[in-house]
mmCIF file of all heavy atoms in Angstrom:
data_model
loop_
_atom_site.group_PDB
_atom_site.id
_atom_site.type_symbol
_atom_site.label_atom_id
_atom_site.label_comp_id
_atom_site.label_asym_id
_atom_site.label_seq_id
_atom_site.Cartn_x
_atom_site.Cartn_y
_atom_site.Cartn_z
ATOM 1 N N PRO A 1 -11.260 -4.027 -28.415
ATOM 2 C CA PRO A 1 -11.534 -5.084 -29.396
ATOM 3 C C PRO A 1 -10.562 -5.114 -30.581
ATOM 4 O O PRO A 1 -10.376 -6.152 -31.208
ATOM 5 C CB PRO A 1 -12.960 -4.777 -29.861
ATOM 6 C CG PRO A 1 -13.587 -4.111 -28.666
ATOM 7 C CD PRO A 1 -12.479 -3.271 -28.078
ATOM 8 N N ARG A 2 -9.915 -3.989 -30.888
ATOM 9 C CA ARG A 2 -8.945 -3.968 -32.004
ATOM 10 C C ARG A 2 -7.590 -4.522 -31.605
ATOM 11 O O ARG A 2 -6.776 -4.835 -32.452
ATOM 12 C CB ARG A 2 -8.762 -2.537 -32.515
ATOM 13 C CG ARG A 2 -9.943 -2.024 -33.293
ATOM 14 C CD ARG A 2 -9.749 -0.610 -33.765
ATOM 15 N NE ARG A 2 -8.651 -0.476 -34.724
ATOM 16 C CZ ARG A 2 -8.276 0.678 -35.242
ATOM 17 N NH1 ARG A 2 -8.895 1.797 -34.903
ATOM 18 N NH2 ARG A 2 -7.279 0.734 -36.102
ATOM 19 N N GLY A 3 -7.302 -4.585 -30.302
ATOM 20 C CA GLY A 3 -6.013 -5.086 -29.837
ATOM 21 C C GLY A 3 -5.391 -4.166 -28.805
ATOM 22 O O GLY A 3 -6.067 -3.395 -28.130
ATOM 23 N N LEU A 4 -4.068 -4.233 -28.720
ATOM 24 C CA LEU A 4 -3.301 -3.403 -27.796
ATOM 25 C C LEU A 4 -3.132 -2.021 -28.418
ATOM 26 O O LEU A 4 -2.741 -1.905 -29.575
ATOM 27 C CB LEU A 4 -1.929 -4.051 -27.567
ATOM 28 C CG LEU A 4 -0.865 -3.238 -26.839
ATOM 29 C CD1 LEU A 4 -1.287 -2.931 -25.409
ATOM 30 C CD2 LEU A 4 0.465 -3.982 -26.866
ATOM 31 N N TRP A 5 -3.460 -0.964 -27.658
ATOM 32 C CA TRP A 5 -3.259 0.385 -28.177
ATOM 33 C C TRP A 5 -2.317 1.169 -27.278
ATOM 34 O O TRP A 5 -2.223 0.913 -26.081
ATOM 35 C CB TRP A 5 -4.590 1.135 -28.356
ATOM 36 C CG TRP A 5 -5.407 1.304 -27.098
ATOM 37 C CD1 TRP A 5 -6.406 0.490 -26.672
ATOM 38 C CD2 TRP A 5 -5.286 2.343 -26.106
ATOM 39 N NE1 TRP A 5 -6.927 0.944 -25.477
ATOM 40 C CE2 TRP A 5 -6.257 2.083 -25.109
ATOM 41 C CE3 TRP A 5 -4.473 3.448 -25.966
ATOM 42 C CZ2 TRP A 5 -6.426 2.901 -23.995
ATOM 43 C CZ3 TRP A 5 -4.636 4.268 -24.855
ATOM 44 C CH2 TRP A 5 -5.609 3.987 -23.887
ATOM 45 N N VAL A 6 -1.598 2.089 -27.900
ATOM 46 C CA VAL A 6 -0.737 3.035 -27.190
ATOM 47 C C VAL A 6 -1.038 4.420 -27.741
ATOM 48 O O VAL A 6 -1.474 4.573 -28.875
ATOM 49 C CB VAL A 6 0.765 2.696 -27.348
ATOM 50 C CG1 VAL A 6 1.124 1.442 -26.572
ATOM 51 C CG2 VAL A 6 1.165 2.552 -28.795
ATOM 52 N N ASP A 7 -0.799 5.447 -26.918
ATOM 53 C CA ASP A 7 -1.159 6.808 -27.311
ATOM 54 C C ASP A 7 -0.215 7.798 -26.639
ATOM 55 O O ASP A 7 0.468 7.456 -25.663
ATOM 56 C CB ASP A 7 -2.617 7.085 -26.893
ATOM 57 C CG ASP A 7 -3.271 8.218 -27.667
ATOM 58 O OD1 ASP A 7 -2.631 8.802 -28.564
ATOM 59 O OD2 ASP A 7 -4.448 8.517 -27.382
ATOM 60 N N ARG A 8 -0.188 9.008 -27.132
ATOM 61 C CA ARG A 8 0.547 10.144 -26.550
ATOM 62 C C ARG A 8 2.021 9.841 -26.282
ATOM 63 O O ARG A 8 2.558 10.217 -25.249
ATOM 64 C CB ARG A 8 -0.139 10.642 -25.292
ATOM 65 C CG ARG A 8 -1.511 11.255 -25.593
ATOM 66 C CD ARG A 8 -2.167 11.770 -24.372
ATOM 67 N NE ARG A 8 -2.952 10.700 -23.799
ATOM 68 C CZ ARG A 8 -3.544 10.739 -22.628
ATOM 69 N NH1 ARG A 8 -3.447 11.802 -21.876
ATOM 70 N NH2 ARG A 8 -4.244 9.726 -22.192
ATOM 71 N N GLY A 9 2.658 9.142 -27.222
ATOM 72 C CA GLY A 9 4.095 8.910 -27.126
ATOM 73 C C GLY A 9 4.514 7.695 -26.324
ATOM 74 O O GLY A 9 5.706 7.443 -26.187
ATOM 75 N N CYS A 10 3.575 6.945 -25.786
ATOM 76 C CA CYS A 10 3.936 5.733 -25.024
ATOM 77 C C CYS A 10 4.575 4.720 -25.968
ATOM 78 O O CYS A 10 4.081 4.464 -27.059
ATOM 79 C CB CYS A 10 2.688 5.134 -24.371
ATOM 80 S SG CYS A 10 2.966 3.501 -23.635
ATOM 81 N N ARG A 11 5.688 4.160 -25.521
ATOM 82 C CA ARG A 11 6.354 3.072 -26.235
ATOM 83 C C ARG A 11 6.863 2.106 -25.184
ATOM 84 O O ARG A 11 7.572 2.508 -24.256
ATOM 85 C CB ARG A 11 7.517 3.595 -27.072
ATOM 86 C CG ARG A 11 8.214 2.493 -27.841
ATOM 87 C CD ARG A 11 9.237 3.078 -28.819
ATOM 88 N NE ARG A 11 9.730 2.008 -29.662
ATOM 89 C CZ ARG A 11 11.008 1.659 -29.746
ATOM 90 N NH1 ARG A 11 11.923 2.303 -29.052
ATOM 91 N NH2 ARG A 11 11.362 0.681 -30.531
ATOM 92 N N ALA A 12 6.485 0.826 -25.310
ATOM 93 C CA ALA A 12 6.839 -0.136 -24.271
ATOM 94 C C ALA A 12 6.829 -1.555 -24.823
ATOM 95 O O ALA A 12 6.279 -1.814 -25.886
ATOM 96 C CB ALA A 12 5.868 -0.034 -23.098
ATOM 97 N N ASP A 13 7.465 -2.439 -24.051
ATOM 98 C CA ASP A 13 7.367 -3.876 -24.297
ATOM 99 C C ASP A 13 6.222 -4.391 -23.437
ATOM 100 O O ASP A 13 6.135 -4.056 -22.246
ATOM 101 C CB ASP A 13 8.659 -4.589 -23.899
ATOM 102 C CG ASP A 13 9.822 -4.264 -24.811
ATOM 103 O OD1 ASP A 13 9.581 -3.950 -25.997
ATOM 104 O OD2 ASP A 13 10.971 -4.332 -24.350
ATOM 105 N N PHE A 14 5.369 -5.205 -24.026
ATOM 106 C CA PHE A 14 4.214 -5.752 -23.333
ATOM 107 C C PHE A 14 4.272 -7.277 -23.372
ATOM 108 O O PHE A 14 4.669 -7.858 -24.375
ATOM 109 C CB PHE A 14 2.914 -5.279 -23.986
ATOM 110 C CG PHE A 14 2.719 -3.794 -23.920
ATOM 111 C CD1 PHE A 14 3.210 -2.965 -24.919
ATOM 112 C CD2 PHE A 14 2.057 -3.214 -22.850
ATOM 113 C CE1 PHE A 14 3.040 -1.596 -24.849
ATOM 114 C CE2 PHE A 14 1.878 -1.840 -22.776
ATOM 115 C CZ PHE A 14 2.378 -1.028 -23.781
ATOM 116 N N ILE A 15 3.863 -7.902 -22.284
ATOM 117 C CA ILE A 15 3.743 -9.350 -22.215
ATOM 118 C C ILE A 15 2.300 -9.701 -22.556
ATOM 119 O O ILE A 15 1.370 -9.192 -21.925
ATOM 120 C CB ILE A 15 4.073 -9.881 -20.799
ATOM 121 C CG1 ILE A 15 5.488 -9.475 -20.381
ATOM 122 C CG2 ILE A 15 3.881 -11.392 -20.737
ATOM 123 C CD1 ILE A 15 6.586 -10.065 -21.197
ATOM 124 N N VAL A 16 2.139 -10.560 -23.549
ATOM 125 C CA VAL A 16 0.810 -10.985 -23.988
ATOM 126 C C VAL A 16 0.684 -12.464 -23.666
ATOM 127 O O VAL A 16 1.499 -13.274 -24.102
ATOM 128 C CB VAL A 16 0.622 -10.740 -25.501
ATOM 129 C CG1 VAL A 16 -0.759 -11.206 -25.951
ATOM 130 C CG2 VAL A 16 0.842 -9.271 -25.840
ATOM 131 N N ARG A 17 -0.320 -12.802 -22.876
ATOM 132 C CA ARG A 17 -0.549 -14.197 -22.492
ATOM 133 C C ARG A 17 -1.834 -14.692 -23.156
ATOM 134 O O ARG A 17 -2.815 -13.971 -23.221
ATOM 135 C CB ARG A 17 -0.700 -14.316 -20.976
ATOM 136 C CG ARG A 17 0.558 -13.998 -20.225
ATOM 137 C CD ARG A 17 0.335 -14.203 -18.729
ATOM 138 N NE ARG A 17 1.537 -13.902 -17.987
ATOM 139 C CZ ARG A 17 1.806 -12.717 -17.456
ATOM 140 N NH1 ARG A 17 0.959 -11.736 -17.580
ATOM 141 N NH2 ARG A 17 2.921 -12.528 -16.789
ATOM 142 N N SER A 18 -1.794 -15.930 -23.579
ATOM 143 C CA SER A 18 -3.020 -16.534 -24.077
ATOM 144 C C SER A 18 -3.567 -17.423 -22.974
ATOM 145 O O SER A 18 -2.934 -17.596 -21.940
ATOM 146 C CB SER A 18 -2.748 -17.336 -25.349
ATOM 147 O OG SER A 18 -1.822 -18.349 -25.083
ATOM 148 N N GLY A 19 -4.695 -17.992 -23.193
ATOM 149 C CA GLY A 19 -5.288 -18.840 -22.177
ATOM 150 C C GLY A 19 -6.495 -18.163 -21.566
ATOM 151 O O GLY A 19 -7.044 -17.221 -22.124
ATOM 152 N N PRO A 20 -6.900 -18.616 -20.393
ATOM 153 C CA PRO A 20 -8.103 -18.044 -19.795
ATOM 154 C C PRO A 20 -7.895 -16.573 -19.476
ATOM 155 O O PRO A 20 -6.792 -16.157 -19.117
ATOM 156 C CB PRO A 20 -8.310 -18.869 -18.520
ATOM 157 C CG PRO A 20 -7.012 -19.531 -18.252
ATOM 158 C CD PRO A 20 -6.280 -19.624 -19.555
ATOM 159 N N PRO A 21 -8.944 -15.790 -19.618
ATOM 160 C CA PRO A 21 -8.811 -14.366 -19.342
ATOM 161 C C PRO A 21 -8.574 -14.123 -17.852
ATOM 162 O O PRO A 21 -8.927 -14.944 -17.013
ATOM 163 C CB PRO A 21 -10.157 -13.785 -19.785
ATOM 164 C CG PRO A 21 -11.104 -14.926 -19.696
ATOM 165 C CD PRO A 21 -10.295 -16.164 -19.974
ATOM 166 N N PRO A 22 -7.973 -12.981 -17.535
ATOM 167 C CA PRO A 22 -7.770 -12.652 -16.127
ATOM 168 C C PRO A 22 -9.114 -12.383 -15.457
ATOM 169 O O PRO A 22 -10.111 -12.148 -16.145
ATOM 170 C CB PRO A 22 -6.903 -11.390 -16.179
ATOM 171 C CG PRO A 22 -7.222 -10.776 -17.501
ATOM 172 C CD PRO A 22 -7.518 -11.919 -18.425
ATOM 173 N N PRO A 23 -9.167 -12.404 -14.138
ATOM 174 C CA PRO A 23 -10.434 -12.105 -13.474
ATOM 175 C C PRO A 23 -10.861 -10.675 -13.790
ATOM 176 O O PRO A 23 -10.016 -9.807 -14.029
ATOM 177 C CB PRO A 23 -10.114 -12.278 -11.984
ATOM 178 C CG PRO A 23 -8.629 -12.210 -11.875
ATOM 179 C CD PRO A 23 -8.080 -12.644 -13.185
ATOM 180 N N PRO A 24 -12.163 -10.420 -13.801
ATOM 181 C CA PRO A 24 -12.621 -9.070 -14.119
ATOM 182 C C PRO A 24 -12.177 -8.080 -13.045
ATOM 183 O O PRO A 24 -11.974 -8.455 -11.884
ATOM 184 C CB PRO A 24 -14.151 -9.201 -14.147
ATOM 185 C CG PRO A 24 -14.439 -10.408 -13.327
ATOM 186 C CD PRO A 24 -13.256 -11.320 -13.469
ATOM 187 N N PRO A 25 -12.008 -6.812 -13.432
ATOM 188 C CA PRO A 25 -11.623 -5.817 -12.429
ATOM 189 C C PRO A 25 -12.715 -5.656 -11.375
ATOM 190 O O PRO A 25 -13.893 -5.881 -11.652
ATOM 191 C CB PRO A 25 -11.436 -4.531 -13.227
ATOM 192 C CG PRO A 25 -11.990 -4.779 -14.569
ATOM 193 C CD PRO A 25 -12.172 -6.244 -14.745
ATOM 194 N N ILE A 26 -12.295 -5.289 -10.185
ATOM 195 C CA ILE A 26 -13.239 -5.023 -9.104
ATOM 196 C C ILE A 26 -12.918 -3.660 -8.506
ATOM 197 O O ILE A 26 -11.796 -3.167 -8.630
ATOM 198 C CB ILE A 26 -13.178 -6.101 -7.996
ATOM 199 C CG1 ILE A 26 -11.765 -6.197 -7.393
ATOM 200 C CG2 ILE A 26 -13.652 -7.445 -8.506
ATOM 201 C CD1 ILE A 26 -11.677 -7.064 -6.144
ATOM 202 N N THR A 27 -13.906 -3.066 -7.873
ATOM 203 C CA THR A 27 -13.698 -1.824 -7.138
ATOM 204 C C THR A 27 -13.723 -2.167 -5.654
ATOM 205 O O THR A 27 -14.628 -2.851 -5.178
ATOM 206 C CB THR A 27 -14.781 -0.785 -7.460
ATOM 207 O OG1 THR A 27 -14.737 -0.509 -8.865
ATOM 208 C CG2 THR A 27 -14.563 0.505 -6.683
ATOM 209 N N VAL A 28 -12.700 -1.697 -4.939
ATOM 210 C CA VAL A 28 -12.546 -1.975 -3.514
ATOM 211 C C VAL A 28 -12.401 -0.654 -2.787
ATOM 212 O O VAL A 28 -11.603 0.188 -3.188
ATOM 213 C CB VAL A 28 -11.284 -2.838 -3.264
ATOM 214 C CG1 VAL A 28 -11.051 -3.045 -1.787
ATOM 215 C CG2 VAL A 28 -11.367 -4.158 -3.985
ATOM 216 N N THR A 29 -13.189 -0.461 -1.722
ATOM 217 C CA THR A 29 -12.977 0.673 -0.829
ATOM 218 C C THR A 29 -12.104 0.174 0.303
ATOM 219 O O THR A 29 -12.444 -0.794 0.979
ATOM 220 C CB THR A 29 -14.308 1.217 -0.282
ATOM 221 O OG1 THR A 29 -15.127 1.622 -1.392
ATOM 222 C CG2 THR A 29 -14.088 2.403 0.634
ATOM 223 N N CYS A 30 -10.957 0.822 0.483
ATOM 224 C CA CYS A 30 -10.010 0.390 1.503
ATOM 225 C C CYS A 30 -9.721 1.582 2.409
ATOM 226 O O CYS A 30 -9.485 2.697 1.914
ATOM 227 C CB CYS A 30 -8.738 -0.130 0.843
ATOM 228 S SG CYS A 30 -7.722 -1.175 1.920
ATOM 229 N N SER A 31 -9.772 1.360 3.718
ATOM 230 C CA SER A 31 -9.661 2.454 4.689
ATOM 231 C C SER A 31 -8.616 2.163 5.750
ATOM 232 O O SER A 31 -8.578 1.072 6.318
ATOM 233 C CB SER A 31 -10.999 2.660 5.404
ATOM 234 O OG SER A 31 -12.033 2.894 4.481
ATOM 235 N N SER A 32 -7.798 3.174 6.040
ATOM 236 C CA SER A 32 -6.860 3.122 7.154
ATOM 237 C C SER A 32 -7.592 3.709 8.355
ATOM 238 O O SER A 32 -7.755 4.919 8.468
ATOM 239 C CB SER A 32 -5.616 3.950 6.829
ATOM 240 O OG SER A 32 -4.866 4.207 7.994
ATOM 241 N N ASN A 33 -8.044 2.828 9.245
ATOM 242 C CA ASN A 33 -8.803 3.280 10.411
ATOM 243 C C ASN A 33 -7.851 3.708 11.518
ATOM 244 O O ASN A 33 -6.891 3.013 11.810
ATOM 245 C CB ASN A 33 -9.738 2.167 10.890
ATOM 246 C CG ASN A 33 -10.708 1.762 9.801
ATOM 247 O OD1 ASN A 33 -11.241 2.619 9.093
ATOM 248 N ND2 ASN A 33 -10.908 0.474 9.628
ATOM 249 N N ASN A 34 -8.121 4.854 12.119
ATOM 250 C CA ASN A 34 -7.294 5.392 13.205
ATOM 251 C C ASN A 34 -5.833 5.549 12.796
ATOM 252 O O ASN A 34 -4.943 5.463 13.629
ATOM 253 C CB ASN A 34 -7.394 4.513 14.463
ATOM 254 C CG ASN A 34 -8.819 4.405 14.954
ATOM 255 O OD1 ASN A 34 -9.553 5.392 14.935
ATOM 256 N ND2 ASN A 34 -9.213 3.221 15.376
ATOM 257 N N GLY A 35 -5.587 5.727 11.496
ATOM 258 C CA GLY A 35 -4.228 5.937 11.021
ATOM 259 C C GLY A 35 -3.395 4.684 10.937
ATOM 260 O O GLY A 35 -2.204 4.742 10.610
ATOM 261 N N ASP A 36 -3.987 3.512 11.230
ATOM 262 C CA ASP A 36 -3.242 2.250 11.209
ATOM 263 C C ASP A 36 -3.262 1.639 9.811
ATOM 264 O O ASP A 36 -4.183 1.868 9.023
ATOM 265 C CB ASP A 36 -3.859 1.247 12.193
ATOM 266 C CG ASP A 36 -3.719 1.702 13.637
ATOM 267 O OD1 ASP A 36 -2.744 2.414 13.950
ATOM 268 O OD2 ASP A 36 -4.604 1.337 14.451
ATOM 269 N N ARG A 37 -2.253 0.810 9.525
ATOM 270 C CA ARG A 37 -2.201 0.094 8.250
ATOM 271 C C ARG A 37 -3.280 -0.969 8.223
ATOM 272 O O ARG A 37 -3.505 -1.679 9.201
ATOM 273 C CB ARG A 37 -0.831 -0.541 8.043
ATOM 274 C CG ARG A 37 -0.722 -1.225 6.674
ATOM 275 C CD ARG A 37 0.688 -1.543 6.286
ATOM 276 N NE ARG A 37 1.405 -0.312 5.998
ATOM 277 C CZ ARG A 37 2.580 -0.252 5.388
ATOM 278 N NH1 ARG A 37 3.176 -1.362 4.999
ATOM 279 N NH2 ARG A 37 3.173 0.902 5.176
ATOM 280 N N ASN A 38 -3.955 -1.064 7.079
ATOM 281 C CA ASN A 38 -5.012 -2.038 6.882
ATOM 282 C C ASN A 38 -4.842 -2.678 5.509
ATOM 283 O O ASN A 38 -4.513 -1.983 4.551
ATOM 284 C CB ASN A 38 -6.387 -1.355 6.983
ATOM 285 C CG ASN A 38 -7.526 -2.335 6.855
ATOM 286 O OD1 ASN A 38 -7.498 -3.426 7.402
ATOM 287 N ND2 ASN A 38 -8.538 -1.944 6.112
ATOM 288 N N TRP A 39 -5.064 -3.992 5.431
ATOM 289 C CA TRP A 39 -4.996 -4.707 4.161
ATOM 290 C C TRP A 39 -6.400 -5.032 3.702
ATOM 291 O O TRP A 39 -7.261 -5.395 4.497
ATOM 292 C CB TRP A 39 -4.196 -6.003 4.310
ATOM 293 C CG TRP A 39 -2.729 -5.806 4.259
ATOM 294 C CD1 TRP A 39 -1.926 -5.921 3.160
ATOM 295 C CD2 TRP A 39 -1.864 -5.459 5.339
ATOM 296 N NE1 TRP A 39 -0.624 -5.655 3.496
ATOM 297 C CE2 TRP A 39 -0.551 -5.372 4.831
ATOM 298 C CE3 TRP A 39 -2.065 -5.196 6.689
ATOM 299 C CZ2 TRP A 39 0.534 -5.050 5.612
ATOM 300 C CZ3 TRP A 39 -0.981 -4.874 7.473
ATOM 301 C CH2 TRP A 39 0.303 -4.801 6.938
ATOM 302 N N CYS A 40 -6.611 -4.924 2.391
ATOM 303 C CA CYS A 40 -7.896 -5.263 1.786
ATOM 304 C C CYS A 40 -7.669 -6.340 0.731
ATOM 305 O O CYS A 40 -6.692 -6.288 -0.025
ATOM 306 C CB CYS A 40 -8.525 -4.029 1.153
ATOM 307 S SG CYS A 40 -8.916 -2.750 2.371
ATOM 308 N N ASP A 41 -8.573 -7.319 0.684
ATOM 309 C CA ASP A 41 -8.453 -8.451 -0.219
ATOM 310 C C ASP A 41 -8.748 -8.026 -1.655
ATOM 311 O O ASP A 41 -9.789 -7.430 -1.919
ATOM 312 C CB ASP A 41 -9.415 -9.556 0.223
ATOM 313 C CG ASP A 41 -9.291 -10.808 -0.623
ATOM 314 O OD1 ASP A 41 -8.244 -10.996 -1.263
ATOM 315 O OD2 ASP A 41 -10.253 -11.591 -0.636
ATOM 316 N N ILE A 42 -7.816 -8.331 -2.554
ATOM 317 C CA ILE A 42 -8.040 -8.081 -3.984
ATOM 318 C C ILE A 42 -7.944 -9.379 -4.782
ATOM 319 O O ILE A 42 -7.890 -9.354 -6.012
ATOM 320 C CB ILE A 42 -7.065 -7.024 -4.542
ATOM 321 C CG1 ILE A 42 -5.611 -7.425 -4.310
ATOM 322 C CG2 ILE A 42 -7.387 -5.647 -3.976
ATOM 323 C CD1 ILE A 42 -4.595 -6.535 -5.009
ATOM 324 N N GLY A 43 -7.907 -10.510 -4.073
ATOM 325 C CA GLY A 43 -7.838 -11.806 -4.753
ATOM 326 C C GLY A 43 -6.554 -11.939 -5.550
ATOM 327 O O GLY A 43 -5.503 -11.464 -5.124
ATOM 328 N N PRO A 44 -6.633 -12.555 -6.747
ATOM 329 C CA PRO A 44 -5.415 -12.803 -7.523
ATOM 330 C C PRO A 44 -4.947 -11.599 -8.346
ATOM 331 O O PRO A 44 -3.975 -11.687 -9.071
ATOM 332 C CB PRO A 44 -5.837 -13.947 -8.453
ATOM 333 C CG PRO A 44 -7.293 -13.698 -8.676
ATOM 334 C CD PRO A 44 -7.807 -13.166 -7.357
ATOM 335 N N ARG A 45 -5.628 -10.495 -8.216
ATOM 336 C CA ARG A 45 -5.305 -9.333 -9.049
ATOM 337 C C ARG A 45 -3.972 -8.715 -8.622
ATOM 338 O O ARG A 45 -3.651 -8.673 -7.444
ATOM 339 C CB ARG A 45 -6.429 -8.313 -8.968
ATOM 340 C CG ARG A 45 -7.704 -8.857 -9.581
ATOM 341 C CD ARG A 45 -8.933 -8.143 -9.037
ATOM 342 N NE ARG A 45 -10.140 -8.745 -9.550
ATOM 343 C CZ ARG A 45 -10.746 -9.769 -8.965
ATOM 344 N NH1 ARG A 45 -10.264 -10.266 -7.855
ATOM 345 N NH2 ARG A 45 -11.831 -10.283 -9.490
ATOM 346 N N THR A 46 -3.207 -8.231 -9.606
ATOM 347 C CA THR A 46 -1.876 -7.700 -9.315
ATOM 348 C C THR A 46 -1.697 -6.250 -9.737
ATOM 349 O O THR A 46 -0.636 -5.676 -9.545
ATOM 350 C CB THR A 46 -0.796 -8.540 -10.028
ATOM 351 O OG1 THR A 46 -1.061 -8.531 -11.436
ATOM 352 C CG2 THR A 46 -0.792 -9.969 -9.504
#
């Protein structure tokens, strides 16, 4: 609520966007069955 915070020596350039908020975070369980590659949907999250 106070804004962007950094700690423990972090220093960086940040991109701040206004407008609608991003979608809320989600928790996804993703499994590689039989050792094969598998994709799990995370929607627009990056």
Side-chain angles (χ1 to χ4, degrees):
R2 287 179 64 182
L4 169 64
W5 59 266
V6 289
D7 201 2
R8 294 181 270 171
C10 171
R11 181 172 188 239
D13 291 332
F14 297 89
I15 302 295
V16 179
R17 293 183 180 93
S18 60
I26 59 170
T27 300
V28 176
T29 301
C30 199
S31 304
S32 165
N33 301 319
N34 301 320
D36 294 331
R37 184 165 290 193
N38 183 42
W39 279 265
C40 296
D41 183 21
I42 57 172
R45 294 157 185 88
T46 58

